[in-house]
Amino acid sequence: MTASSRPEHPRLRRSAGDRRAQLVQIGLELLPTTPVQELTIDEVARRAGISRSLLFHYFATKREYYTAVTRAAADLLWEHLLPAPGTPAEQQVTGMLDRYVGWVETFRDSHLAFVRGAGGGDPWVSEVYEETRGKLVELTLTTLDLPDDALRRQLVLAWFAFAEDLVGQWVAEPTMSRPDLLALLRDVLDRLVAR
Amino acid sequence: MTASSRPEHPRLRRSAGDRRAQLVQIGLELLPTTPVQELTIDEVARRAGISRSLLFHYFATKREYYTAVTRAAADLLWEHLLPAPGTPAEQQVTGMLDRYVGWVETFRDSHLAFVRGAGGGDPWVSEVYEETRGKLVELTLTTLDLPDDALRRQLVLAWFAFAEDLVGQWVAEPTMSRPDLLALLRDVLDRLVAR
DNA sequence: TAGCTTGTTGAGCGTTGCTCAGCAAGCGGA
DNA sequence: TCCGCTTGCTGAGCAACGCTCAACAAGCTA
């Protein structure tokens, strides 16, 4: 129970921005336990202490709502992975990998739900996901100081799928040390793009 | 409109086995246009020319129904990929890869919906998917005459994710020749498991 | 205080997953 | 030929859900 879920006795009137932010925030809190598309308007509204109707005032459809939640989650991931300015180029990719593994460790189910559920039929959600993946590929190629040609883009994109899967397996059952995992991923990436 | 969707004038009574098979078949026909979980009982029943209630007689819940459909789809894929008996060991993996690409080319959206939608929150569906992937990994390792140790299993599993993603990209935008794609996938696999 | 903007609600509609009591098709036995 | 049993099958109907709409009311400004 967070503050956002307590039904205030006197009806509280919020600014549009606040309300939107609150609703998205509730969606984020629910993500770990519920696949995005299965969020129910009733549940979210109940937690926000508002009527269903109000949610539809801010998000025209349920899809519009959970797309906003998905985008918020993607933004959090992106900000978490971005190298701190001033990091030596050599450490940037390793650092990102490290933080990515940490992210998956921390959020496990909710991250897997995001990654996989992304492609799960819903074009709106998968668009957000692909957009983030695209940005990450671009960042990776830039950081590695490699030309951004079509083939390399494809390879790095597919390597992300490889990495997501391997990290997913590792989190479920850590059969090697964490540094080994990072080194393995880095090694595969280097060999892929070095050709 | 297939024969199965024509509403017969006199009420037709089928055996339990026939009816089940028909319903699963209708699900398979709908897969290309609809993500499994979004199949509606109404639509399926309408196409079968039966009442909704009857579908619930054969499948206790909607989930049970689309899990059966998913399993049928997985079985089709598995049978399609299996090397013909008598194929020289050397060609088996390449042949499977070739047929896999062909499969994705043919079914495009429905396959992607299956692969990705698999993890999409639904444990029942993703179980079917993981089971199939596991069988494929085992088959691959056996065919390549490699020991089936934990690390190699993980790598080949992750390589499948890599391959799925790359093939998905290639089908959407074929930027290289088909043989080049096959050679690339095979090359990456060989290097991964050779260590 | 009046009036305007806009955050907010409740009643209600259509669809969908699911239940249940009971009908009826086809077979076997007398 | 009729009876009776099994079992494939239906229709009415409930609850949950997404979504709409007319109207209320909080809080600002004149």
Side-chain angles (χ1 to χ4, degrees), chain B residues 47-125:
Chain B
R47 293 203 174 214
I50 60 170
S51 65
R52 267 157 296 154
S53 319
L54 188 54
L55 202 148
F56 285 106
H57 178 70
Y58 291 103
F59 305 93
T61 64
K62 181 188 174 179
R63 182 146 67 188
E64 197 174 313
Y65 171 66
Y66 68 59
T67 302
V69 173
T70 302
R71 171 145 272 130
D75 288 347
L76 284 178
L77 173 60
W78 171 253
E79 281 160 29
H80 182 253
L81 293 189
L82 261 192
T87 310
E90 190 48 40
Q91 295 173 23
Q92 287 190 9
V93 169
T94 306
M96 284 172 60
L97 260 180
D98 190 28
R99 287 191 297 279
Y100 176 71
V101 174
W103 178 272
V104 180
E105 281 178 308
T106 307
F107 295 107
R108 290 201 56 156
D109 300 334
S110 77
H111 177 70
L112 289 181
F114 168 56
V115 166
R116 302 233 132 172
D122 207 308
W124 303 74
V125 174

Side-chain angles (χ1 to χ4, degrees), chain A residues 12-14 19 51 53-54 57-58:
Chain A
L12 188 61
R13 194 186 163 104
R14 297 204 185 196
R19 194 56 93 186
S51 63
S53 320
L54 188 56
H57 178 71
Y58 292 102

Side-chain angles (χ1 to χ4, degrees), chain A:
Chain A
M1 278 265 176
T2 66
S4 59
S5 68
R6 178 167 50 247
E8 310 286 46
H9 294 174
R11 197 192 296 166
L12 188 61
R13 194 186 163 104
R14 297 204 185 196
S15 77
D18 281 3
R19 194 56 93 186
R20 261 190 92 97
Q22 180 207 20
L23 293 174
V24 169
Q25 180 58 35
I26 288 174
L28 285 176
E29 288 166 13
L30 253 29
L31 264 196
T33 56
T34 326
V36 221
Q37 342 208 3
E38 284 173 28
L39 295 175
T40 73
I41 261 65
D42 261 353
E43 172 74 4
V44 176
R46 205 180 49 71
R47 294 202 175 215
I50 61 170
S51 63
R52 266 157 296 154
S53 320
L54 188 56
L55 202 148
F56 285 105
H57 178 71
Y58 292 102
F59 304 93
T61 65
K62 182 190 176 179
R63 182 146 68 188
E64 197 173 313
Y65 171 65
Y66 68 59
T67 302
V69 173
T70 302
R71 170 145 271 132
D75 287 348
L76 285 177
L77 174 61
W78 171 252
E79 281 160 27
H80 183 253
L81 293 188
L82 261 191
T87 310
E90 191 47 40
Q91 295 174 23
Q92 287 190 10
V93 169
T94 306
M96 283 172 61
L97 260 179
D98 190 29
R99 287 192 296 280
Y100 176 72
V101 173
W103 179 271
V104 179
E105 282 178 309
T106 307
F107 295 106
R108 290 202 56 158
D109 301 333
S110 75
H111 178 69
L112 289 181
F114 168 57
V115 165
R116 303 232 130 172
D122 207 309
W124 303 74
V125 174
S126 71
E127 187 188 321
V128 173
Y129 174 64
E130 290 305 332
E131 191 184 306
T132 306
R133 256 192 358 146
K135 277 161 68 182
L136 284 171
V137 167
E138 202 171 328
L139 179 59
T140 304
L141 286 174
T142 307
T143 306
L144 290 177
D145 201 23
L146 286 165
D148 188 350
D149 55 273
L151 179 58
R152 247 180 274 262
R153 262 189 89 81
Q154 291 171 340
L155 286 174
V156 178
L157 272 171
W159 172 82
F160 269 118
F162 176 88
E164 268 159 12
D165 197 278
L166 198 60
V167 173
Q169 289 182 54
W170 181 81
V171 168
E173 197 178 349
T175 51
M176 63 184 94
S177 74
R178 191 193 158 104
D180 281 353
L181 174 68
L182 293 174
L184 175 56
L185 287 171
R186 183 63 202 266
D187 183 48
V188 172
L189 174 62
D190 285 340
R191 291 206 211 180
L192 270 179
V193 294
R195 57 186 64 225

Side-chain angles (χ1 to χ4, degrees), chain B residues 7-70:
Chain B
E8 311 286 52
H9 293 175
R11 200 193 293 166
L12 187 63
R13 195 186 164 105
R14 297 203 185 198
S15 77
D18 280 3
R19 194 55 94 187
R20 259 190 93 96
Q22 180 206 20
L23 293 174
V24 169
Q25 180 59 34
I26 289 174
L28 285 177
E29 288 167 14
L30 253 29
L31 264 196
T33 55
T34 325
V36 221
Q37 341 208 4
E38 284 174 26
L39 294 176
T40 74
I41 260 69
D42 261 351
E43 172 73 3
V44 175
R46 204 180 49 72
R47 293 203 174 214
I50 60 170
S51 65
R52 267 157 296 154
S53 319
L54 188 54
L55 202 148
F56 285 106
H57 178 70
Y58 291 103
F59 305 93
T61 64
K62 181 188 174 179
R63 182 146 67 188
E64 197 174 313
Y65 171 66
Y66 68 59
T67 302
V69 173
T70 302

